[in-house]
Amino acid sequence: MSSTWGNQIKLSIFGESHGPGIGVVLDGLPAGEAVQQEELLLQMARRAPGRDKTATPRREEDMPEILSGMLDGRTTGAPLCAVIRNTNTRSRDYSQLKNLPRPGHADYTGMLRYGGYNDVRGGGHFSGRLTAPLVFAGAVCRQILARRGVFIGGHIYSIGSVCDDPMDPAAVTAQLLNELSRQSFCLLNPQAEAPMRELVEQARMEQDSVGGIVECAAVGLPAGVGSPMFGGVENVAASLLFGIPAVKGVEFGAGFAAARMRGSQHNDPFYYSDDGRVLTSTNNAGGALGGITTGMPLLVRVAVKPTASISQPQQTVDLSKHQAAQLQVTGRHDPCIVPRAVPVVESAVAIAVMELMKEGGRL
Amino acid sequence: MSSTWGNQIKLSIFGESHGPGIGVVLDGLPAGEAVQQEELLLQMARRAPGRDKTATPRREEDMPEILSGMLDGRTTGAPLCAVIRNTNTRSRDYSQLKNLPRPGHADYTGMLRYGGYNDVRGGGHFSGRLTAPLVFAGAVCRQILARRGVFIGGHIYSIGSVCDDPMDPAAVTAQLLNELSRQSFCLLNPQAEAPMRELVEQARMEQDSVGGIVECAAVGLPAGVGSPMFGGVENVAASLLFGIPAVKGVEFGAGFAAARMRGSQHNDPFYYSDDGRVLTSTNNAGGALGGITTGMPLLVRVAVKPTASISQPQQTVDLSKHQAAQLQVTGRHDPCIVPRAVPVVESAVAIAVMELMKEGGRL
Amino acid sequence: MSSTWGNQIKLSIFGESHGPGIGVVLDGLPAGEAVQQEELLLQMARRAPGRDKTATPRREEDMPEILSGMLDGRTTGAPLCAVIRNTNTRSRDYSQLKNLPRPGHADYTGMLRYGGYNDVRGGGHFSGRLTAPLVFAGAVCRQILARRGVFIGGHIYSIGSVCDDPMDPAAVTAQLLNELSRQSFCLLNPQAEAPMRELVEQARMEQDSVGGIVECAAVGLPAGVGSPMFGGVENVAASLLFGIPAVKGVEFGAGFAAARMRGSQHNDPFYYSDDGRVLTSTNNAGGALGGITTGMPLLVRVAVKPTASISQPQQTVDLSKHQAAQLQVTGRHDPCIVPRAVPVVESAVAIAVMELMKEGGRL
Amino acid sequence: MSSTWGNQIKLSIFGESHGPGIGVVLDGLPAGEAVQQEELLLQMARRAPGRDKTATPRREEDMPEILSGMLDGRTTGAPLCAVIRNTNTRSRDYSQLKNLPRPGHADYTGMLRYGGYNDVRGGGHFSGRLTAPLVFAGAVCRQILARRGVFIGGHIYSIGSVCDDPMDPAAVTAQLLNELSRQSFCLLNPQAEAPMRELVEQARMEQDSVGGIVECAAVGLPAGVGSPMFGGVENVAASLLFGIPAVKGVEFGAGFAAARMRGSQHNDPFYYSDDGRVLTSTNNAGGALGGITTGMPLLVRVAVKPTASISQPQQTVDLSKHQAAQLQVTGRHDPCIVPRAVPVVESAVAIAVMELMKEGGRL
């Protein structure tokens, strides 16, 4: 496993879904930063299952215990470790996984990688539950960043074929992002909620699942941060975002749509704002040129595949009998994880921004 | 700058477009690996400008001199350094860049990041020319990988709205990839060439440029390689791919299309092949589950924005006069870099695969 | 803080002496490795205070709870996290530290580095207590290494001017090291114990402390491991060993004594052993040439400064009043930490060896 | 090989003694830093062989060509690459090395590590010649550091049993270090030169060699730099210093002598200087407490083993015949490399200080 990430801000995530606990160590935080507990819990709650109709009924408490790195409500500069206990685990649901790998899951590849010794219960270290410590770490970073004028928020860009309004990459504001980052079913256009929920419910009824796209922006980043070629904004963010289970694509600014654009259309013209800052009138770049922040909003979209755990019968192999087999996944699973993925993506972006700003001497 | 990459295979790229030279250090290669010079030159030639009608008329020699790490045609295990001299540079074309940043380029962000001291001539270290050492490094790795049964090849998935046939992610073969990886205008369907060239030529005529998508596959990877959460196949590959100038999106397998799929459709059913291997009948995962290789082809698509250098007038700012300005970029530029980006993407994938295989003890 | 270490085996140590808990995350361990709990506790006990007359009377339980990475007594391949609760802390002893930095301690430098926000109670993250998770991590690694024939053990080379017999670097055996690594006051010559204890007791009586040297060897390392120039045996080991509080010097083989030797005396002649292996008749190299293991025992000596906490009055400054001050450190402190440092040094060597062997594809 | 080092300042050294060239890439330097060519050459000359009676008669030109990262005499912020061509190589001297490994050299371990494919000529990548690019990199860093008030200098602490005066760790000045850092046979007490040279000459006459100790200090470091536990001053410096061939020990401040000291003697009392700074009246800590700079001089001593290449007959093995053999090393070798090691140690310290200061946001 390599669940350790970062050069300036070192993130180490540990835990398995049905082991004693999961958690995170964040090393390299600035000292003296106030961290509001309620704000942490709010972000944890946005990710937690069972808070919303689209989510699994399993309720976690997800109350992290901070073991180190905090004193009197402020960071000490020493590594911050937080632990979340695993409770309410029903391990029997997973007894057949060793022999019958679930399609779309890491059961088979995990078995190869770890010689069958990995903890398969609930997906083990591959579980989406491991995003809880990521959200915790992100929530800590977001408080530190907010104090420096950097705000991050995302929304459900789409679920299946139902789309929210897109963010305006050149006009997104801190206020909008702050509002989004306190919601649990984040949308720009509230009218998208009903058809999205309907789509998810339909998938659930059909023992199926559905994917979607999360769009996330960060505003207030200082211009001039990021280190090309491989320490650029996109490299750093993507190397973290692809660590979120189910993420299969990452794009910045116009992203894949840029492939169908003309240069005259894609290039963002520079202009002076009324208060004398250099801005661009469009933001197809998504806030970075040459891997370095332009000062315009950082804009990223992340493709989330449909939940791999579906309860309809699926074709797989029986590894013990070396023959074909049919599998029916039981247990509780979200038919769509996209709403809960929003705070996870926001968190990954927050951590990436911390890394970039610290590297650039701006933290 | 952070043009150093990798944990197992350490890649360090240096150079500026109009400085004395560019090059690469590759540290961590296995010793005793034969490296065919002609094969290196073939790959360099695929990327080099001026070899094809869609490319800029500037001809580079791009003959790398190997300074270390090779003896009698084999790697020694010591860091391999190769240097490419810069010749045929016309620096006068870039005299106005300091004051008039080109839209879509890193002129403005580079100035901020490096206090105006960066070499702006030809884009300096941000230049697409820096992909030459990347291709060199990739070409070395590809020879090492081929000896282990791993083959990599890509094609022009699309230019603008003109698409090649997509790769069949479950059926792509080493033979096909080898054929592709020796071409300069790589296509699965040769009939796509004419409309693509036409599109590019039209853009050129209109002093404009056009983007596209590169699709790349790797076959023969051992199953069970990759280290979640952040050392997974996608994280490692993306952190390198986003270092290629103009890349704005990276997706694996079904990628963003997965967002519109149902789980029952996206999950790849496992089956036993006739020779007893575990395969999947589809490959929406793109060769990785949980960040670990499945043994199926690794499939990645990369969005390439339209060339930022276009010769039609553009709006920008004059940083010396603090006012709006119009800019007309002169010099020689490809109206479409997608064809030349194919070997660059292949190279990045090759280096990423080396890193992953070495980390997994499979090199 | 940068309490994260390693490329192949990633070690992340967290905690403060008087916070809720301390612990460690070990990422990159091979899966399926049996870990005996008793063996872990034995090593923890060797380091724990209060087990021996030379140590502080404060008794910790030091019972680590394993939160992740273990299932049914074996490593899962996922990050292994262990937590040790802090109990029996008397924080009042440290109330004056914020203003009166203790000479020889990190109170002053920590205050500068962390703007006064670091947890100074008990030394916080700088406390020698942070070596407990290091010993835990080392004890896990030692069990894995033992299964591969690698054994590590150390002894008290000297306390003050009283010396134990030195190890014979060319003849040290696994059996000897195993015996040493189960003792709490490790000596080759038992006759050294009485004068050493006398020296320590005398220092205690005089409200003073005394330093010493730990010597540690590892046998059974495969020859050919280590990556010069900066990934060599000495670099990797030293970068970890200097993380042990109070370590001020590290030497390998003949070490500083080599500076007074002739080449003809220092060079270790090669010969064939009766069973056909290439050995050296002496081992001034300490088991590494060019940063790469020779197959001979790895031999390292580590200088441990006298405990900085002494109860006699000392000159310092009062940072609040900007004037000279006298300080009398209260609380419980070892007059000599060298005996307890032996398992810490062994642990650091074990972790370094794991890193080196994994990097060399030998794990 | 892992000749890549650093997190903030990335150093990549390449080359083999008798290959086409050697060199270095330095990534992460601040932009806009003036670099005086003459100053670089001065430092290169101090290390170069053949400039002094104690050195080998082989004369290198050692004129580095800067390929990138410099424009108009200033750093651009892009990776700085410098190449030194190898000339005047007499490869025939090394023909027997493949079968008869030289005692004290990396011939045998290199063969194991690289399967016999490493370039053994002149020691290949293990050659002391590889310290030339290190000195180049150090010389660049020293100019950048000097501009920030940090000065580094060293001297021959001892050759064999002949000692120079030691530095006064609490009183060493920038002026003294600057003087030392322009000499080629660096001594505090000029009267040590004659007996040292005599000792070396005697060793040469006896076809032997002799080791020594280099002492190096850095003054002007800001207090509060360094990141415990593993990113501390000592860890960072040692991980680099042990990459210098022939280094077998590294100690800071009182170092190994601390092992024989009492706490009351070793602890450095704090006091306020007349200008209101917090200083220590002694400096046994060597400038770092808890891995963090105190603001007092950084003091390090490095043990250099006697040159392994001696021309008297030595016992070794014949790997092709699997039998004992006698070896007589021919070619030109320094009987003592300690004088030339001084600028190398200074350079390593300079690079380490750059890394530490950048990590601490002080560059």
Side-chain angles (χ1 to χ4, degrees):
Chain A
M1 293 283 177
S2 188
S3 298
T4 311
W5 181 91
N7 249 342
Q8 314 288 332
I9 301 292
K10 281 160 190 160
L11 176 78
S12 182
I13 289 184
F14 57 86
E16 281 127 330
S17 181
H18 287 53
I22 62 175
V24 62
V25 182
L26 258 179
D27 192 2
L29 294 178
E33 297 287 336
V35 177
Q36 307 296 333
Q37 188 91 355
E38 320 84 73
E39 190 61 30
L40 298 179
L41 293 177
L42 168 65
Q43 295 305 326
M44 301 294 288
R46 292 175 71 211
R47 189 217 67 91
R51 309 295 167 102
D52 188 278
K53 279 174 289 183
T54 57
T56 156
R58 170 177 167 188
R59 280 188 65 96
E60 314 166 12
E61 290 309 318
D62 283 346
M63 292 298 154
E65 181 191 13
I66 297 177
L67 290 179
S68 65
M70 290 274 294
L71 186 65
D72 302 333
R74 288 179 185 273
T75 56
T76 62
L80 193 161
C81 177
V83 168
I84 304 167
R85 295 278 158 180
N86 288 329
T87 54
N88 186 19
T89 57
R90 296 194 302 180
S91 292
R92 278 166 306 168
D93 290 337
Y94 303 94
S95 51
Q96 63 183 345
L97 296 182
K98 285 261 178 187
N99 293 331
L100 302 182
R102 293 171 298 174
H105 271 287
D107 302 335
Y108 174 63
T109 54
M111 188 210 64
L112 291 176
R113 180 72 173 81
Y114 303 106
Y117 290 103
N118 57 312
D119 185 351
V120 296
R121 300 172 301 161
H125 190 64
F126 297 96
S127 168
R129 182 160 163 72
L130 270 292
T131 57
L134 194 66
V135 167
F136 175 88
V140 171
C141 291
R142 291 164 83 166
Q143 296 191 35
I144 296 171
L145 290 172
R147 214 164 285 134
R148 285 153 180 83
V150 180
F151 299 94
I152 295 158
H155 70 121
I156 307 167
Y157 182 85
S158 67
I159 290 180
S161 54
V162 183
C163 294
D164 187 14
D165 293 346
M167 280 178 169
D168 177 344
V172 61
T173 62
Q175 191 190 335
L176 173 67
L177 298 182
N178 276 336
E179 282 167 22
L180 285 172
S181 68
R182 316 193 83 71
Q183 300 175 17
S184 64
F185 197 98
C186 306
L187 289 171
L188 295 180
N189 181 350
Q191 300 193 323
E193 182 165 355
M196 281 182 178
R197 288 195 184 276
E198 198 174 333
L199 197 76
V200 173
E201 193 54 28
Q202 193 181 340
R204 183 204 304 276
M205 288 297 131
E206 298 171 12
Q207 300 183 298
D208 212 338
S209 64
V210 63
I213 296 174
V214 173
E215 186 174 58
C216 179
V219 298
L221 272 82
V225 162
S227 284
M229 300 173 58
F230 306 118
V233 173
E234 297 97 330
N235 315 63
V236 170
S239 75
L240 198 45
L241 287 163
F242 277 116
I244 303 172
V247 168
K248 297 304 281 184
V250 171
E251 63 177 9
F252 296 86
F256 276 88
R260 291 185 302 277
M261 292 166 81
R262 286 289 189 89
S264 56
Q265 177 188 8
H266 185 271
N267 285 351
D268 302 308
F270 290 108
Y271 74 98
Y272 274 107
S273 69
D274 292 342
D275 58 348
R277 290 179 301 143
V278 174
L279 302 177
T280 59
S281 50
T282 54
N283 186 14
N284 290 308
L289 286 170
I292 303 171
T293 52
T294 59
M296 294 296 291
L298 175 64
L299 192 89
V300 61
R301 273 178 302 277
V302 170
V304 179
K305 71 177 189 183
T307 316
S309 291
I310 55 176
S311 49
Q312 60 181 264
Q314 295 180 84
Q315 279 302 316
T316 186
V317 289
D318 186 321
L319 295 166
S320 62
K321 301 183 184 160
H322 287 270
Q323 64 184 36
Q326 217 183 42
L327 171 76
Q328 197 152 1
V329 176
T330 57
R332 304 145 297 171
H333 303 101
D334 285 359
C336 182
I337 58 167
V338 178
R340 290 172 55 206
V342 174
V344 182
V345 169
E346 290 169 358
S347 296
V349 169
I351 298 166
V353 167
M354 284 281 286
E355 169 82 14
L356 289 159
M357 284 180 62
K358 189 167 180 194
E359 202 272 334
R362 302 296 278 269
L363 202 66
Chain B
M1 293 282 178
S2 188
S3 298
T4 311
W5 181 92
N7 251 341
Q8 314 288 331
I9 300 293
K10 281 160 190 161
L11 175 77
S12 182
I13 290 184
F14 58 85
E16 282 128 328
S17 181
H18 287 53
I22 62 176
V24 62
V25 182
L26 257 179
D27 192 2
L29 294 177
E33 297 287 336
V35 177
Q36 305 297 333
Q37 188 91 356
E38 320 85 72
E39 190 62 29
L40 298 178
L41 293 176
L42 168 63
Q43 295 304 328
M44 301 294 286
R46 290 175 72 211
R47 190 217 66 91
R51 308 296 166 100
D52 188 277
K53 279 174 289 181
T54 58
T56 155
R58 171 177 166 189
R59 283 187 62 94
E60 313 167 11
E61 289 309 318
D62 283 344
M63 292 298 156
E65 181 193 11
I66 296 176
L67 289 180
S68 65
M70 291 273 294
L71 186 65
D72 301 334
R74 288 180 185 272
T75 56
T76 62
L80 193 161
C81 177
V83 168
I84 305 166
R85 295 279 160 180
N86 288 330
T87 54
N88 187 19
T89 57
R90 295 195 303 181
S91 293
R92 277 166 306 166
D93 291 339
Y94 303 95
S95 49
Q96 63 183 346
L97 296 183
K98 284 263 180 185
N99 293 330
L100 303 182
R102 294 171 297 174
H105 271 287
D107 301 336
Y108 174 64
T109 55
M111 187 210 65
L112 291 176
R113 179 72 173 83
Y114 303 106
Y117 290 104
N118 57 312
D119 185 351
V120 297
R121 300 172 301 161
H125 190 63
F126 297 95
S127 167
R129 182 160 163 71
L130 270 292
T131 57
L134 194 67
V135 167
F136 176 88
V140 170
C141 291
R142 293 165 82 165
Q143 296 191 37
I144 296 171
L145 290 172
R147 215 164 283 134
R148 285 150 180 86
V150 180
F151 299 94
I152 294 157
H155 70 122
I156 306 167
Y157 183 84
S158 67
I159 290 181
S161 53
V162 182
C163 294
D164 189 13
D165 294 346
M167 281 179 169
D168 178 345
V172 61
T173 62
Q175 191 189 335
L176 173 66
L177 299 182
N178 276 336
E179 282 168 20
L180 285 172
S181 69
R182 316 193 83 71
Q183 300 175 18
S184 64
F185 197 97
C186 305
L187 290 171
L188 295 180
N189 181 349
Q191 298 191 325
E193 182 165 354
M196 281 182 178
R197 288 194 184 277
E198 199 174 332
L199 197 76
V200 173
E201 193 55 26
Q202 194 180 341
R204 182 204 305 275
M205 287 299 133
E206 298 170 11
Q207 299 182 297
D208 212 337
S209 64
V210 63
I213 296 175
V214 172
E215 186 175 58
C216 178
V219 299
L221 271 82
V225 162
S227 284
M229 304 174 54
F230 307 116
V233 172
E234 296 97 331
N235 314 62
V236 170
S239 76
L240 199 44
L241 287 164
F242 276 115
I244 303 172
V247 168
K248 296 304 281 184
V250 172
E251 62 178 9
F252 296 86
F256 276 87
R260 291 185 302 277
M261 291 166 82
R262 286 288 190 89
S264 57
Q265 177 188 8
H266 184 270
N267 284 351
D268 303 308
F270 290 109
Y271 74 97
Y272 275 107
S273 70
D274 293 342
D275 57 348
R277 291 179 301 143
V278 174
L279 302 178
T280 59
S281 50
T282 55
N283 186 15
N284 290 307
L289 286 170
I292 304 172
T293 52
T294 59
M296 295 294 293
L298 175 64
L299 192 88
V300 61
R301 272 178 303 278
V302 170
V304 179
K305 72 177 188 182
T307 315
S309 291
I310 55 175
S311 49
Q312 59 181 263
Q314 296 181 83
Q315 279 302 317
T316 187
V317 289
D318 187 320
L319 294 166
S320 62
K321 301 181 185 161
H322 287 270
Q323 64 184 36
Q326 218 184 43
L327 171 76
Q328 199 153 359
V329 176
T330 57
R332 305 144 298 171
H333 304 100
D334 285 359
C336 182
I337 59 167
V338 179
R340 289 172 54 205
V342 174
V344 181
V345 169
E346 291 169 358
S347 296
V349 169
I351 297 165
V353 167
M354 283 282 286
E355 170 81 13
L356 289 159
M357 285 181 62
K358 190 168 180 194
E359 201 272 334
R362 304 296 279 269
L363 203 66
Chain C
M1 294 282 178
S2 189
S3 298
T4 311
W5 181 93
N7 249 341
Q8 315 288 331
I9 301 293
K10 281 160 191 160
L11 176 77
S12 182
I13 290 183
F14 58 85
E16 282 128 329
S17 181
H18 287 52
I22 61 176
V24 62
V25 182
L26 257 180
D27 192 3
L29 294 178
E33 296 288 335
V35 177
Q36 306 296 334
Q37 187 91 355
E38 320 84 73
E39 190 62 30
L40 297 179
L41 293 176
L42 168 65
Q43 294 305 326
M44 301 295 286
R46 292 175 70 211
R47 190 216 68 90
R51 310 295 166 101
D52 189 278
K53 279 175 290 185
T54 58
T56 156
R58 170 178 168 189
R59 281 187 64 95
E60 314 165 12
E61 290 309 319
D62 283 345
M63 292 298 154
E65 181 192 11
I66 297 177
L67 289 181
S68 66
M70 291 274 294
L71 186 66
D72 302 333
R74 288 180 185 271
T75 56
T76 62
L80 194 160
C81 177
V83 169
I84 305 167
R85 296 277 158 181
N86 288 330
T87 54
N88 187 17
T89 57
R90 296 194 302 179
S91 293
R92 276 166 306 169
D93 291 337
Y94 303 95
S95 51
Q96 64 183 346
L97 295 183
K98 284 262 178 186
N99 293 330
L100 302 182
R102 294 170 297 174
H105 272 287
D107 302 336
Y108 174 63
T109 55
M111 189 209 63
L112 291 176
R113 180 71 172 83
Y114 303 106
Y117 289 104
N118 56 312
D119 185 351
V120 297
R121 299 171 301 160
H125 190 64
F126 297 96
S127 168
R129 181 158 164 72
L130 270 292
T131 57
L134 193 67
V135 167
F136 176 87
V140 170
C141 291
R142 292 164 83 166
Q143 295 191 37
I144 297 171
L145 290 172
R147 215 163 285 134
R148 286 152 179 82
V150 180
F151 299 95
I152 295 158
H155 70 122
I156 306 167
Y157 182 84
S158 67
I159 289 180
S161 55
V162 183
C163 295
D164 188 14
D165 294 345
M167 281 178 169
D168 178 344
V172 61
T173 62
Q175 191 189 335
L176 173 66
L177 298 182
N178 276 336
E179 282 168 20
L180 286 171
S181 67
R182 317 193 83 70
Q183 299 175 18
S184 65
F185 198 98
C186 307
L187 289 171
L188 295 179
N189 182 350
Q191 299 193 325
E193 182 166 354
M196 281 182 177
R197 288 193 182 277
E198 199 173 333
L199 197 75
V200 173
E201 194 54 28
Q202 194 180 340
R204 182 203 305 274
M205 288 297 132
E206 298 171 12
Q207 299 183 295
D208 212 338
S209 64
V210 64
I213 296 174
V214 173
E215 186 175 58
C216 179
V219 299
L221 271 82
V225 162
S227 283
M229 303 174 54
F230 307 117
V233 172
E234 297 97 330
N235 315 63
V236 170
S239 75
L240 198 45
L241 287 163
F242 275 116
I244 303 172
V247 167
K248 297 304 282 183
V250 171
E251 63 177 8
F252 296 86
F256 276 88
R260 291 184 303 276
M261 292 166 80
R262 286 289 189 88
S264 57
Q265 179 187 7
H266 184 271
N267 284 351
D268 303 307
F270 290 107
Y271 74 98
Y272 275 107
S273 70
D274 292 343
D275 57 349
R277 290 179 302 142
V278 174
L279 302 177
T280 60
S281 51
T282 54
N283 185 14
N284 291 308
L289 285 170
I292 303 171
T293 52
T294 60
M296 295 295 291
L298 174 64
L299 192 88
V300 62
R301 273 178 303 276
V302 170
V304 178
K305 72 177 187 182
T307 315
S309 290
I310 56 175
S311 49
Q312 60 181 264
Q314 296 181 83
Q315 279 302 315
T316 187
V317 289
D318 186 321
L319 294 167
S320 62
K321 302 182 184 160
H322 287 270
Q323 65 184 35
Q326 218 183 42
L327 170 77
Q328 198 152 0
V329 176
T330 56
R332 305 144 297 173
H333 304 101
D334 286 359
C336 183
I337 58 167
V338 179
R340 289 173 55 205
V342 174
V344 182
V345 169
E346 291 168 357
S347 296
V349 169
I351 298 166
V353 167
M354 284 281 286
E355 169 82 13
L356 289 158
M357 284 180 64
K358 189 167 180 194
E359 201 271 335
R362 303 297 277 268
L363 202 66
Chain D
M1 293 283 178
S2 187
S3 298
T4 311
W5 181 93
N7 251 341
Q8 314 289 331
I9 300 292
K10 282 160 190 160
L11 176 77
S12 182
I13 291 184
F14 58 86
E16 282 129 327
S17 182
H18 287 53
I22 62 177
V24 63
V25 182
L26 258 178
D27 191 2
L29 294 177
E33 297 287 336
V35 177
Q36 306 296 335
Q37 188 90 357
E38 321 84 73
E39 190 61 31
L40 298 179
L41 294 176
L42 168 64
Q43 295 305 327
M44 302 295 286
R46 290 175 71 212
R47 191 216 66 91
R51 308 297 167 101
D52 187 278
K53 278 174 290 183
T54 57
T56 154
R58 170 178 167 189
R59 283 187 62 95
E60 315 165 11
E61 290 309 317
D62 284 345
M63 293 298 157
E65 180 192 12
I66 297 177
L67 290 180
S68 64
M70 290 275 293
L71 186 65
D72 301 334
R74 289 180 185 271
T75 56
T76 62
L80 193 160
C81 176
V83 168
I84 306 166
R85 295 278 159 180
N86 288 329
T87 53
N88 188 19
T89 57
R90 295 194 304 179
S91 293
R92 277 166 306 167
D93 291 339
Y94 303 94
S95 50
Q96 64 183 343
L97 296 183
K98 284 262 178 185
N99 294 329
L100 302 182
R102 294 170 296 174
H105 272 287
D107 302 336
Y108 174 64
T109 55
M111 187 209 65
L112 291 176
R113 179 72 173 82
Y114 303 106
Y117 289 104
N118 57 312
D119 185 350
V120 296
R121 300 171 301 161
H125 190 65
F126 298 95
S127 168
R129 181 160 164 72
L130 271 291
T131 57
L134 193 66
V135 167
F136 175 88
V140 170
C141 291
R142 293 164 82 165
Q143 296 191 37
I144 296 171
L145 290 171
R147 215 164 284 134
R148 285 151 180 84
V150 180
F151 299 95
I152 295 158
H155 71 119
I156 306 167
Y157 182 86
S158 67
I159 290 179
S161 54
V162 183
C163 295
D164 188 13
D165 294 346
M167 280 178 169
D168 178 344
V172 60
T173 62
Q175 190 189 337
L176 174 66
L177 298 183
N178 276 336
E179 282 168 20
L180 286 172
S181 68
R182 316 194 83 71
Q183 299 175 17
S184 64
F185 198 97
C186 305
L187 289 170
L188 295 179
N189 182 349
Q191 298 192 326
E193 180 164 356
M196 281 183 178
R197 289 193 182 278
E198 199 174 333
L199 197 75
V200 173
E201 193 55 26
Q202 195 181 340
R204 182 204 306 275
M205 287 298 132
E206 296 170 13
Q207 299 182 297
D208 212 336
S209 64
V210 63
I213 296 174
V214 173
E215 187 174 57
C216 178
V219 299
L221 270 83
V225 162
S227 284
M229 304 175 53
F230 307 116
V233 172
E234 298 97 329
N235 314 62
V236 170
S239 75
L240 198 45
L241 287 163
F242 276 116
I244 304 172
V247 167
K248 297 304 281 183
V250 171
E251 62 178 9
F252 296 86
F256 276 89
R260 291 185 302 277
M261 292 166 81
R262 286 290 190 89
S264 57
Q265 178 187 8
H266 184 271
N267 284 351
D268 302 308
F270 290 107
Y271 74 98
Y272 275 107
S273 70
D274 292 342
D275 57 349
R277 291 179 301 143
V278 174
L279 302 178
T280 60
S281 51
T282 55
N283 186 14
N284 290 308
L289 285 170
I292 303 171
T293 51
T294 60
M296 295 294 292
L298 174 63
L299 192 88
V300 62
R301 273 178 303 277
V302 170
V304 179
K305 73 178 188 182
T307 315
S309 291
I310 55 176
S311 50
Q312 60 181 264
Q314 296 180 84
Q315 279 303 316
T316 187
V317 289
D318 187 321
L319 295 166
S320 62
K321 301 181 184 160
H322 287 268
Q323 65 183 34
Q326 218 183 43
L327 170 76
Q328 198 152 1
V329 176
T330 58
R332 304 144 297 171
H333 304 100
D334 284 359
C336 182
I337 58 166
V338 179
R340 289 173 56 206
V342 174
V344 181
V345 169
E346 291 169 357
S347 296
V349 169
I351 298 165
V353 167
M354 283 281 285
E355 169 82 13
L356 289 158
M357 285 181 63
K358 190 169 179 193
E359 201 273 334
R362 305 297 279 268
L363 202 66

